[in-house]
Amino acid sequence: MTPKKIIIWFLILLVLIFTVIALLGIWDIIDLDQVVRKLLLSLVVIFASSAVILFIYSVMGKEIEDTKKQEG
């Protein structure tokens, strides 16, 4: 499975989750304000951790490539 297909399915899943949460909030089954606040805070944490992982990967990836070029 290509990364593009994984991203597409992930986005479809997010849309379905947000739709279910919105419908439950509209029907007053859940407290939508609390859910949205927790959801946004969770997304901020995921974004921050992804940014740190991307930074580490880009720095370490360059060092590994430089090491391979010098050895090869």
Side-chain angles (χ1 to χ4, degrees):
M1 191 176 242
T2 64
K4 192 174 187 179
K5 286 185 180 181
I6 293 171
I7 292 171
I8 289 170
W9 282 109
F10 177 72
L11 292 174
I12 290 171
L13 181 66
L14 281 179
V15 168
L16 291 174
I17 290 171
F18 288 138
T19 302
V20 169
I21 290 172
L23 288 173
L24 292 174
I26 290 169
W27 286 91
D28 290 329
I29 296 173
I30 59 173
D31 183 18
L32 194 58
D33 293 333
Q34 185 180 12
V35 171
V36 169
R37 190 184 81 222
K38 287 184 179 183
L39 188 69
L40 289 176
L41 288 174
S42 298
L43 288 174
V44 168
V45 168
I46 292 170
F47 174 75
S49 64
S50 299
V52 170
I53 291 171
L54 180 62
F55 175 74
I56 292 170
Y57 180 76
S58 66
V59 170
M60 296 301 287
K62 288 180 182 177
E63 290 180 6
I64 292 171
E65 287 179 9
D66 291 342
T67 306
K68 285 182 180 179
K69 286 180 183 178
Q70 289 175 357
E71 291 175 357

